[in-house]
Amino acid sequence: MLLERCTWQEVERYLEQSRGILLPIGSTEQHGPNGLIGTDALCAELIARGVGEATGAMVAPTLNFGMAQHHMAFCGTMTLRPQTLLAVLVDLLGALARHGFERCLVINGHGGNMATIFAAFSELHAAASLAPEPRPASLRCRLRNWWSPPAVAAVQKELFGERDGSHATASEISVTQYALPECIKRAPLDPPQAPASTGFTDAADFRRRYPDGRIGSDPSLATPAHGERLYRAALDALAEDYRNFLVEP
Ligand SMILES: [Zn+2]
């Protein structure tokens, strides 16, 4: 059930039978020579919608922007500062809480969002902890990166080994190729496997270390069929995770 395609009465009725919701979050950032700018948001949205269909969960609109300052030396990247993303998340999660949602599983497509997402959860809990009596219960939130469940990591390892890399990965590009076969890009990759991660600071530093935008990856290995396997593994793992989350004390 997609929130943006419901009426307010439908959301009210949904809340009579469930208090859970999924929030996909991605980023709008470069993904190397053959990766789409929207990769992180596309992966998070596809998987969150699959989990929503499998579990009957409400799915909030995808937050397409994330904390991508380190990708700003590549054209097309659009970033939010950490403090902006923090404020956006606190407002949006607070809005869901106000309507009566009690559990929100945030399905994330971009590692660079994690620190800020956790900070937003802490802000929500702090607001409840510091409120005068009667204190409201705070929305319980959980962050899951779509690639983190062990079953997904096992498929990644089997398909790509260490050539998956850590940015513009063969895995995420496979998932977008599965989702949008009409948008598959072919481009020379030189070297075939990008330099391994040595950390980074700002956008200029990132570009100096990783000139074509990839980190450690060989996304020439990406295929739609691999993407489908990864999608199904992520969907199954996160659907189980969501069902457990709903009934946890
Ligand atoms: Zn990505």
Side-chain angles (χ1 to χ4, degrees), residues 27 29-31 39-40 43 71 109-111 146-147 166-169 172:
S27 181
E29 65 182 48
Q30 70 83 19
H31 272 77
T39 295
D40 294 345
C43 291
H71 294 292
H110 173 49
W146 70 260
W147 62 88
S166 55
H167 182 66
T169 65
E172 61 185 341

Side-chain angles (χ1 to χ4, degrees), residues 26-228:
S27 181
T28 298
E29 65 182 48
Q30 70 83 19
H31 272 77
N34 73 335
L36 307 179
I37 300 277
T39 295
D40 294 345
L42 289 164
C43 291
E45 179 169 277
L46 180 78
I47 291 162
R49 290 182 175 192
V51 173
E53 274 175 31
T55 63
M58 183 71 76
V59 184
T62 304
L63 188 48
N64 285 285
F65 300 106
M67 210 303 286
Q69 64 79 18
H70 45 296
H71 294 292
M72 281 303 296
F74 297 90
C75 269
T77 299
M78 297 170 74
T79 190
L80 299 176
R81 290 165 202 264
Q83 60 183 339
T84 314
L85 178 60
L86 178 63
V88 168
L89 283 167
V90 168
D91 282 359
L92 296 179
L93 294 169
L96 295 175
R98 146 119 201 199
H99 300 313
F101 287 99
E102 292 173 354
R103 311 232 165 169
C104 179
L105 182 65
V106 176
I107 296 185
N108 179 38
H110 173 49
N113 288 339
M114 291 174 64
T116 310
I117 294 171
F118 283 129
F121 295 171
S122 293
E123 286 287 351
L124 286 167
H125 300 322
S129 300
L130 295 168
E133 295 276 11
R135 291 187 190 90
S138 58
L139 178 68
R140 185 182 294 205
C141 298
R142 177 167 292 170
L143 169 62
R144 287 287 182 262
N145 300 319
W146 70 260
W147 62 88
S148 291
V152 181
V155 176
Q156 285 176 314
K157 193 165 173 215
E158 179 203 319
L159 293 174
F160 309 120
E162 47 83 44
R163 297 182 84 81
D164 198 33
S166 55
H167 182 66
T169 65
S171 292
E172 61 185 341
I173 290 173
S174 292
V175 173
T176 61
Q177 289 185 350
Y178 166 61
L180 294 173
E182 68 277 22
C183 295
I184 293 175
K185 311 284 183 180
R186 307 272 172 220
L189 296 169
D190 181 27
Q193 185 174 13
S197 178
T198 49
F200 51 80
T201 57
D202 58 18
D205 182 58
F206 186 104
R207 183 139 186 178
R208 201 159 42 239
R209 292 170 191 262
Y210 316 108
D212 74 1
R214 298 172 294 145
I215 305 179
S217 68
D218 177 4
S220 71
L221 303 174
T223 70
H226 292 341
E228 181 171 11

